[in-house]
Amino acid sequence: MKGNEKKFLIVGVGNLYRGDDSVGILIARYFRRCFKKSVKIVDIDISFEELIDIWGDFDLVILVDAVHSGKGAGEIYRFEDISELLKSGLKLISSHHVGIVEYIELAKLLGSLPKRFIVYGISGENFEIGGFISPNVKDACRRLIPKIVAEVKA
């Protein structure tokens, strides 16, 4: 990597066996083809505990996960300010005992947040075990990919 290039990390969170909850992993898999070492999938490549240890080494971390929004599936939400995420009322989908927001807050307390941290949430509707990703969420993935590319290039 050249000295002037941004060091970034794309983090996918989710569960491949719970329909729309797979969205973070699917996005991460897409970007892995392009950026190999700059993509991590939680619970496959890395745990949240390990992740917060390395976040501070990056200029930009983009985390993608499914959310419960109460609105239709396929809405894309972007948060760069974690307090705005907390105020939004959106629920990030997590099968962990500690949620994503709590890990972000812990990293903040430990002083290990990156220079920029962006959370993208895609609202889902089908989180049943063995369920398929819904068409609106698939479409949201297609719409989110260029947005993430723009964030990385900015």
Side-chain angles (χ1 to χ4, degrees):
M1 182 181 300
K2 296 177 186 165
N4 61 350
E5 287 186 16
K6 180 187 321 182
K7 190 173 178 191
F8 67 93
L9 179 67
I10 299 170
V11 179
V13 182
N15 183 325
L16 285 175
Y17 306 106
R18 291 187 56 214
D20 293 339
D21 192 24
S22 65
V23 69
I25 294 174
L26 297 176
I27 292 284
R29 283 182 174 176
Y30 175 86
F31 281 107
R32 178 168 277 158
R33 292 182 283 163
C34 309
F35 304 124
K36 295 188 187 352
K37 293 182 182 179
S38 294
V39 176
K40 298 286 184 196
I41 300 173
V42 173
D43 284 344
I44 295 174
D45 298 325
I46 196 165
S47 69
F48 272 117
E49 292 82 4
E50 294 167 311
L51 202 53
I52 63 173
D53 283 340
I54 66 168
W55 274 344
D57 298 337
F58 293 90
D59 299 310
L60 170 66
V61 172
I62 298 172
L63 186 141
V64 182
D65 196 10
V67 298
H68 278 295
S69 68
K71 296 184 179 180
E75 291 289 319
I76 298 172
Y77 299 89
R78 181 191 181 279
F79 298 95
E80 195 162 346
D81 180 347
I82 300 310
S83 64
E84 291 300 314
L85 173 60
L86 293 171
K87 291 178 199 172
S88 73
L90 293 175
K91 294 182 182 175
L92 293 164
I93 308 304
S94 178
S95 56
H96 302 85
H97 295 291
V98 178
I100 294 165
V101 172
E102 288 81 5
Y103 279 111
I104 295 168
E105 289 292 330
L106 177 59
K108 190 178 195 180
L109 287 172
L110 295 172
S112 65
L113 281 178
K115 292 177 184 146
R116 283 184 69 211
F117 192 98
I118 299 169
V119 175
Y120 275 107
I122 297 179
S123 62
E125 62 187 358
N126 177 19
F127 298 100
E128 292 181 26
I129 294 173
F132 294 99
I133 191 166
S134 61
N136 289 344
V137 171
K138 279 184 188 177
D139 180 60
C141 288
R142 289 183 199 100
R143 291 183 284 125
L144 181 56
I145 288 167
K147 292 177 187 223
I148 292 174
V149 170
E151 300 275 13
V152 168
K153 289 184 175 182

